[in-house]
């Protein structure tokens, strides 16, 4: 349905988003005094359940009981009697209730015992020449190629070990990722001690492991444009245009990320970079809407750089071509670049400055460097990245490829292409019932998860019930900066992720953060501003929680 763009309420899982189970039969008799439940499984039903399997009893598609089976007796053909349900539960059951088999304990034991994580390997101990023994080990790579490794030792004057003893030693792979399926030993058996045989095995398997790992890597090739992408009329973007302009641009840019175009139509709040949903910067059924919004923001913030954030479930084919064509037309209105949640950002047209959202899973310095080498201007660090890993990322960052860190804001809990408000059933998607309205999902603890609807595309972002904040990390980096340690703040960008905060609040927070950062870079502290900012944001979090 996603592939053919035929989304509808019929795609929903309904009442059973998890395991639905396999129909087994129906209740034919209940005997609470003996703790027995009789089930009519018929003649053509599935396999008989085993001891430990969980059975679920449902009535009118609603589960009324479930329990693991204890004793099982076959009364007559097509009729089972089971024990395992509490007598009080049995009293609530009725003849005709539907019975589902939820687990297959016997098959789970077989699956758990199967050692599918190890690679089959063959070993051959041979005489390589006068006084030299060679152990050859081989395995197959994922694509079926044979990979071979060797180890050699000089033979001694000791009497050779029995062939079966050598085979036993070579078969001991222990905690390695290998499983020995065949061992061959030439006759006469090379004169080696047990220690030499073990050492050859370890050396050869270590070499084999390295070669198997290397076989899984491919040569890095330039990423081409997929056929639906916008054609580049002007050639590749000059990399120098990706840098922060030397004049009028602060050394520590502050980013304002919006989950939706603000309801007050006033996005400007003193930030250096603005990230706005791509759908809110295109026409969306209103000719000229995107260009008008860009002009409004550029008039208020002439030096700011504006990025269009592609939806996490980015469309493909003609839909992507249309979206990128519209964004390409907005470059003349001040659109600086595109930001994506996935590594597909590398294949986006080179006419755009590109950056990666937190959904790109940048968790360490190596993943950061991979994206930086592809020419991304900003790479947002994953929200799950811990303190030490963030510090390693900053060591790989630079003014050309900044590490963007979310200081405050709600995070995306889910992106769905099936709208939870109307189930993609709007008669007029561009002006659906979600337009101009606000919605949220509420869990059993009463927490509210805002639903940001995108009319037209009938998609939605479901946000976290409360914002995150990373002041501990900011304070740690400021201390390092003031003490002359590394990494410094100079390769970072700090992000506020806004949902419904008013413009005055956004301006105040960004202003305070700017004073804190500028003072730190000048070797001074602004503890009052930092603590007041932290206090205000904590109060905001406490209110939402």
């Amino acid at each position: 349905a996603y592939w053919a763009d035929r989304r509808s309420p019929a795609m929903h899982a309904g009442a059973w988003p998890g395991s639905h189970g396999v129909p087994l039969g129906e209740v034919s008799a209940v005997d609470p005094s003996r703790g027995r439940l009789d089930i009519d499984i018929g003649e053509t039903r599935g396999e008989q359940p085993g001891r430990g399997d969980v059975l679920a009893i449902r009535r009118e598609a609603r589960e009324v009981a479930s329990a693991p089976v204890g004793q099982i007796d076959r009364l007559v053909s097509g009729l089972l009697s089971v024990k395992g349900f509490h007598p009080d539960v049995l009293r609530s059951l009725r003849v005709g209730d539907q019975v589902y088999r939820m687990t297959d304990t016997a098959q789970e034991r077989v699956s758990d015992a199967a050692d599918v994580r190890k690679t089959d390997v063959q070993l051959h101990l041979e005489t390589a020449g006068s006084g030299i023994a060679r152990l050859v080990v081989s395995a197959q790579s994922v694509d079926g190629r044979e990979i071979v490794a060797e180890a050699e030792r000089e033979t001694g004057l000791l009497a050779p070990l029995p062939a079966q003893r050598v085979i036993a030693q070579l078969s001991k792979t222990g905690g390695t990722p290998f499983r020995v399926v065949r061992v061959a030993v030439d006759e006469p058996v090379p004169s080696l001690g047990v220690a030499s045989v073990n050492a050859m095995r370890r050396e050869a398997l270590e070499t084999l492991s390295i070669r198997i790992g290397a076989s899984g890597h491919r040569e890095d090739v330039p990423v081409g444009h997929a056929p639906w992408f916008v054609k580049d009329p002007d050639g590749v973007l000059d990399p120098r245009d990706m840098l922060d302009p030397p004049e009028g641009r602060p050394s520590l840019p502050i980013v304002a990320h919006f989950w939706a175009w603000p309801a007050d139509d006033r996005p400007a709040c003193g930030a250096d970079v603005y990230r706005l949903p791509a759908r809110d910067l295109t026409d969306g059924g209103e000719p000229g809407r995107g260009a008008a919004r860009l002009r409004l923001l550029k008039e208020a913030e002439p030096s700011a750089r504006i990025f269009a954030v592609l939806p996490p479930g980015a469309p493909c084919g003609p839909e992507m071509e249309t979206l990128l064509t519209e964004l390409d037309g907005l470059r003349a209105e001040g659109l600086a670049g595109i930001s994506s949640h996935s590594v597909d950002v590398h294949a986006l047209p080179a006419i755009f400055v590109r950056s990666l959202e937190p959904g790109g899973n940048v968790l360490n310095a190596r993943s950061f460097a991979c994206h930086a080498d592809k020419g991304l201007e900003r790479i947002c660090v994953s929200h799950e990245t811990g303190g030490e890993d963030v510090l390693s990322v900053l060591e790989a960052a630079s003014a050309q490829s900044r590490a963007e860190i979310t200081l405050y804001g709600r995070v995306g809990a889910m992106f769905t292409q099936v709208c939870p408000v109307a189930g993609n059933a709007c008669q007029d998607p561009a002006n659906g019932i979600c337009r101009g309205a606000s919605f949220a999902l509420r869990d059993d603890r009463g927490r509210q998860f805002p639903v940001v609807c995108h009319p037209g595309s009938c998609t939605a972002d479901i946000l976290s019930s409360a914002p995150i904040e990373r002041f501990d990390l900011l304070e740690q980096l400021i201390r390092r900066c003031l003490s002359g340690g590394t990494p410094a703040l100079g390769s970072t960008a700090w992000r506020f992720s806004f949902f419904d905060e008013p413009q005055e609040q956004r301006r105040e927070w960004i202003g305070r953060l700017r004073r804190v950062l500028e003072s730190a870079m000048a070797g001074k502290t602004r503890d009052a501003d930092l603590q007041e900012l932290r206090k205000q944001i904590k109060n905001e979090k406490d209110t939402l929680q």
Side-chain angles (χ1 to χ4, degrees), residues 281-294:
L281 292 178
T282 54
D283 289 347
E286 300 177 29
R289 182 189 71 168
R293 285 179 166 178
L294 278 171

Side-chain angles (χ1 to χ4, degrees), residues 34-37 66-72 82-87 89-90:
R34 299 172 59 199
R36 303 191 68 89
L37 177 70
S66 66
V69 174
Q71 181 180 326
I72 304 175
V82 303
K83 285 188 174 182
F85 288 85
H86 192 277
V89 173
L90 290 174

